[in-house]
Amino acid sequence: MLTTGESIRVQLLGPIRVWRDGTEVPLGPPKQRAVLGLLASRVGDVVGIERIIDAVWGSDIPQTAANGVHTYVAGLRRALEPGRSRRGDSSVLASASGGYCLRIDPDAVDVTRFTRSHAQARKAHAERDAQRAVGLYEEALTLWHGEAYSSVPGPFAAMERARLQDLRLTAVEEWASDMLEEGRHAETVADLSAAVMEEPLREKLRWLLMLTLYRCDRQAHALAVYTKTRDLLNRELGIEPGAELRNLHQEILLGSPSPKAAARREPPTAPGGEGDLADGALGDTPRPAQLPPLARGFVGRAAELAELERTLGDDDGRHNASTRVAVVDGLAGVGKTAFSLELAYRLRDRFPDGQLFVDLCGTGLQEKPLSALEALAQLLRSLGVDEARIPDDLAGRGALYRSLLHGRRMLVVLDDALSANQLRPLMPSGSSCVLATSRQRLSGLAIRDGAHLLHIGPLSDGESADLITYLGGHRFHGERTAVMRLAAICGGVPLALRSAVEGMLATRDVPPLAMVERYADERVLLDRLTVKGDAAASLRAMFETSYQALPAPAARMFRYLGLHSESPITVHLAATLVGTSHAMARQLLDVLVDNHMLEEASRGHYRFHGLMGLYAAECAQREPLANRESALNSLIEQGWGFVPHQAPAPLQENCLPHATTH
């Protein structure tokens, strides 16, 4: 870590402010502060310009956004290094690798100090040193000077505001518990009352406030808190207070908790506590265990599994307020669901409150995509909420869902997501974990919500061979040439490999190598990888659903690229084929890449995966002949000499029919 800017101090826990050598410096307009807030949250890391743009403007990106970023960085450099020459290199806010890096001591940022003191306080509490824990909690909480990222625009600032606020309230709850253990009841009332006003639906805060008031000989006030809590939960969420809150209320009525007792009592971990919510939610419902069975013969992906297992499974005390979210994306048929389930089974013991699973049908073959409203209803039913108690609106369902999972460690697997907007309402706060799959790269979830994105590609030749020999058994014994040939034909796509092996097992009278050569015929390969009556096991059908999910202009680009699917693709070639500008062509190519219908080999150079190229050549035939001839003539006029790809044979009866052209 470079530390050339030790004299700089940054405040994010409140209005964003900066001091240099003890003197506050002006930071300029709100968006300039937003840029600083993002860079200060990633001290020492290079943040790309595109990520800065998404963090500051979100989906409403003006054409001048990139220039705006450069302008804001220049303004920050003038503020942070007033003596630097205009053309001199910046030692504090450096340019690097297509982005910018804030090079200061991490401890100069208050969020870093808050996180460290909070972790040290938890460690002291675990060591039964309540007095030291209280001091460390207070050290952490005194760093706050209002709402984090106050008045700073942009989706990243909004996400950080919510995350840090939740983390602060968690620290308040833990501080109050240790204060009660120390017998310092009266000193706790004011801070707990203020926290309850900030977050009125947080039952843990109200539980602590009731117990604190009772121990201060204020029984009537404690009972009044319960009455207000019950009325609020009924009105806002349609539920009763949780079991722990109800039990404490009953004990206060009976006079059983001693007002002077200093014994530690754990507050409820969620609305409804560890026991039940009113009307059966969680209480009488079996612990969810909804993971589908694993596919036979999972191979490879060791590095990717280890990466996500570390990201999602490690509990170092930082995750109680910030839910861990990972999204696995990749080509249709590449094994995203199998990978995610393999990981989920490895992680399930670390999430003792259960596992939820929802197929979001984002690119479903039979079902239309689930809306977030429908998915929340399914999740709430799985958590034991009676149908009559499920709110009608998205906000109400989301609030109830988050309340039910607050404080619980539950694994939520969301398969086949269509978009970030479909996923966001399904992400709870707290100690749970969300693992999702999608055929699209959902960059907005990483930028706005802090999700971890992982792309998985085709299997290597060796891994493909391992899968073939495992599934094929004796059929491939001693047939190394046939195995490697089939691995190459299927391009490492697990769905294609499984389909081909099953087809060969059903035709045992033909030698393996001879059978493999039947799959080598590109004109009928996708036909051979089609399972009659089971579109979910048919590669062409999977590609078709990805195609149908494309915006119309991108689908048109895909069809025209199918005329040239065996050769490298450049922006210029794509623009010539479609008859559009280079800027528009690049934009459409990026859409295809994000949807894993096209691969970017290097900047400005693209290619199809072999199997996707065959499908693209089929789709090209959906364009009228006159349009195809005109596009090819345009290429010839531009000097592109080539033989256009010959489309595969017409579809057989057992294949999915062509969808309507976009």
Side-chain angles (χ1 to χ4, degrees):
M1 168 60 63
L2 298 177
T3 56
T4 54
E6 289 92 342
S7 60
I8 291 176
R9 183 164 56 90
V10 181
Q11 173 182 292
L12 301 178
L13 301 177
I16 291 185
R17 302 171 69 185
V18 172
W19 292 263
R20 182 179 178 85
D21 296 327
T23 301
E24 186 169 2
V25 298
L27 294 178
K31 283 189 171 62
Q32 187 162 298
R33 293 170 183 262
V35 172
L36 176 63
L38 173 63
L39 296 173
S41 73
R42 306 282 192 272
V43 166
D45 293 338
V46 176
V47 183
I49 291 176
E50 290 184 359
R51 186 162 190 175
I52 295 173
I53 290 171
D54 287 334
V56 175
W57 282 278
S59 59
D60 188 20
I61 300 176
Q63 292 184 346
T64 58
N67 290 334
V69 170
H70 298 313
T71 299
Y72 295 143
V73 168
L76 290 172
R77 284 171 171 167
R78 288 193 297 272
L80 299 176
E81 300 174 280
R84 183 182 68 90
S85 67
R86 184 172 182 180
R87 296 186 178 275
D89 292 336
S90 173
S91 61
V92 177
L93 213 173
S95 302
S97 303
Y100 297 100
C101 174
L102 185 63
R103 293 178 171 176
I104 61 175
D105 183 350
D107 278 349
V109 182
D110 56 358
V111 172
T112 302
R113 301 196 301 278
F114 169 76
T115 302
R116 183 179 60 246
S117 295
H118 189 193
Q120 291 172 344
R122 285 177 161 175
K123 186 173 184 291
H125 168 73
E127 295 170 350
R128 302 291 181 184
D129 189 349
Q131 183 176 0
R132 181 168 178 270
V134 165
L136 288 166
Y137 279 122
E138 291 175 347
E139 179 182 304
L141 291 168
T142 54
L143 293 169
W144 283 77
H145 300 280
E147 182 182 58
Y149 289 79
S150 177
S151 301
V152 175
F156 174 79
M159 180 269 291
E160 282 295 277
R161 261 194 299 276
R163 183 183 73 83
L164 291 168
Q165 169 71 349
D166 204 2
L167 194 56
R168 184 180 75 84
L169 292 175
T170 297
V172 170
E173 292 164 351
E174 294 164 350
W175 165 80
S177 295
D178 283 323
M179 288 286 283
L180 288 175
E181 187 172 337
E182 287 287 285
R184 298 168 63 180
H185 315 128
E187 301 172 60
T188 312
V189 172
D191 288 307
L192 277 177
S193 298
V196 165
M197 290 182 66
E198 287 183 58
E199 196 72 30
L201 294 174
R202 201 164 172 126
E203 285 197 44
K204 186 181 291 188
L205 287 171
R206 290 180 174 271
W207 187 97
L208 287 163
L209 180 58
M210 284 176 62
L211 184 60
T212 301
L213 289 168
Y214 187 81
R215 290 183 178 179
C216 291
D217 296 321
R218 297 171 62 182
Q219 179 179 357
H221 290 92
L223 294 174
V225 170
Y226 178 82
T227 300
K228 291 179 181 178
T229 302
R230 184 186 60 200
D231 292 344
L232 180 67
L233 291 174
N234 265 301
R235 183 174 66 253
E236 296 293 330
L237 301 178
I239 62 175
E240 292 292 322
E244 292 287 346
L245 211 57
R246 296 199 308 271
N247 291 342
L248 180 59
H249 176 246
Q250 190 64 26
E251 289 172 4
I252 291 174
L253 289 174
L254 297 174
S256 54
S258 168
K260 306 301 180 185
R264 175 102 173 157
R265 290 189 53 162
E266 292 295 335
T269 57
E274 290 294 325
D276 62 298
L277 266 179
D279 299 322
L282 294 179
D284 299 326
T285 303
R287 184 177 69 91
Q290 299 181 347
L291 296 179
L294 293 172
R296 182 172 67 94
F298 182 87
V299 299
R301 317 292 195 197
E304 295 93 335
L305 284 168
E307 177 185 344
L308 277 196
E309 195 168 358
R310 285 192 303 270
T311 301
L312 301 180
D314 288 350
D315 186 7
D316 56 6
R318 294 178 298 171
H319 298 295
N320 282 351
S322 181
T323 299
R324 286 156 285 182
V325 178
V327 184
V328 179
D329 61 70
L331 176 75
V334 83
K336 299 178 293 298
T337 301
F339 172 87
S340 297
L341 290 177
E342 180 74 20
L343 177 63
Y345 273 94
R346 295 188 183 195
L347 293 174
R348 60 179 177 173
D349 289 342
R350 306 180 203 184
F351 295 91
D353 292 314
Q355 312 96 43
L356 296 166
F357 181 89
V358 179
D359 182 357
L360 296 174
C361 303
T363 51
L365 297 157
Q366 308 297 336
E367 304 287 340
K368 67 175 184 178
L370 284 185
S371 67
L373 189 72
E374 293 167 330
L376 280 169
Q378 183 174 328
L379 288 164
L380 291 172
R381 285 191 291 269
S382 298
L383 293 169
V385 179
D386 186 85
E387 194 76 35
R389 305 302 297 273
I390 295 177
D392 293 330
D393 62 304
L394 181 63
R397 290 183 184 182
L400 179 55
Y401 170 65
R402 292 190 297 273
S403 297
L404 290 172
L405 291 194
H406 180 73
R408 297 186 178 274
R409 291 182 58 79
M410 194 168 288
L411 179 60
V412 183
V413 180
L414 304 170
D415 193 36
D416 194 17
L418 180 63
S419 66
N421 288 335
Q422 185 188 35
L423 277 180
R424 282 194 179 101
L426 313 181
M427 294 162 46
S429 60
S431 304
S432 292
C433 166
V434 174
L435 177 59
T437 70
S438 179
R439 295 190 197 173
Q440 300 181 41
R441 184 162 182 83
L442 304 179
S443 300
L445 279 180
I447 295 163
R448 176 178 169 182
D449 307 281
H452 184 95
L453 304 186
L454 176 70
H455 169 69
I456 62 172
L459 298 174
S460 67
D461 287 346
E463 292 167 341
S464 297
D466 289 342
L467 181 58
I468 292 168
T469 53
Y470 177 86
L471 297 173
H474 294 298
R475 180 81 163 108
F476 290 94
H477 182 68
E479 297 285 349
R480 180 69 177 171
T481 301
V483 168
M484 299 311 296
R485 179 77 169 126
L486 185 60
I489 289 170
C490 293
V493 176
L495 182 63
L497 290 164
R498 289 176 179 275
S499 179
V501 171
E502 180 58 31
M504 294 183 66
L505 289 175
T507 317
R508 293 183 177 272
D509 57 332
V510 180
L513 188 55
M515 188 66 190
V516 167
E517 289 307 316
R518 295 183 182 180
Y519 283 89
D521 186 348
E522 292 184 350
R523 294 171 300 173
V524 294
L525 177 54
L526 292 182
D527 290 345
R528 290 193 177 279
L529 297 178
T530 294
V531 180
K532 187 174 182 179
D534 191 351
S538 302
L539 195 65
R540 179 189 280 118
M542 302 296 282
F543 287 168
E544 177 73 15
T545 56
S546 293
Y547 168 78
Q548 291 293 345
L550 291 173
R556 180 171 178 266
M557 173 66 81
F558 182 78
R559 294 193 299 275
Y560 276 90
L561 293 179
L563 297 170
H564 201 262
S565 60
E566 288 188 326
S567 305
I569 297 165
T570 65
V571 174
H572 178 61
L573 183 145
T576 302
L577 271 174
V578 179
T580 189
S581 67
H582 283 202
M584 178 56 69
R586 185 185 297 277
Q587 183 178 336
L588 295 175
L589 290 170
D590 287 344
V591 171
L592 295 177
V593 170
D594 286 343
N595 283 268
H596 300 293
M597 305 285 283
L598 191 67
E599 300 173 357
E600 186 170 18
S602 61
R603 184 60 179 167
H605 293 79
Y606 304 82
R607 66 188 176 204
F608 282 111
H609 180 278
L611 296 175
M612 185 62 78
L614 296 179
Y615 175 72
E618 287 186 0
C619 288
Q621 303 306 306
R622 306 184 191 188
E623 279 295 313
L625 178 60
N627 292 359
R628 283 180 270 149
E629 291 178 343
S630 174
L632 295 177
N633 287 334
S634 296
L635 285 185
I636 294 171
E637 290 170 2
Q638 290 286 328
W640 294 89
F642 70 98
V643 177
H645 185 277
Q646 182 178 356
L651 303 184
Q652 305 301 313
E653 291 183 359
N654 61 346
C655 301
L656 186 76
H658 286 316
T660 303
T661 300
H662 281 259

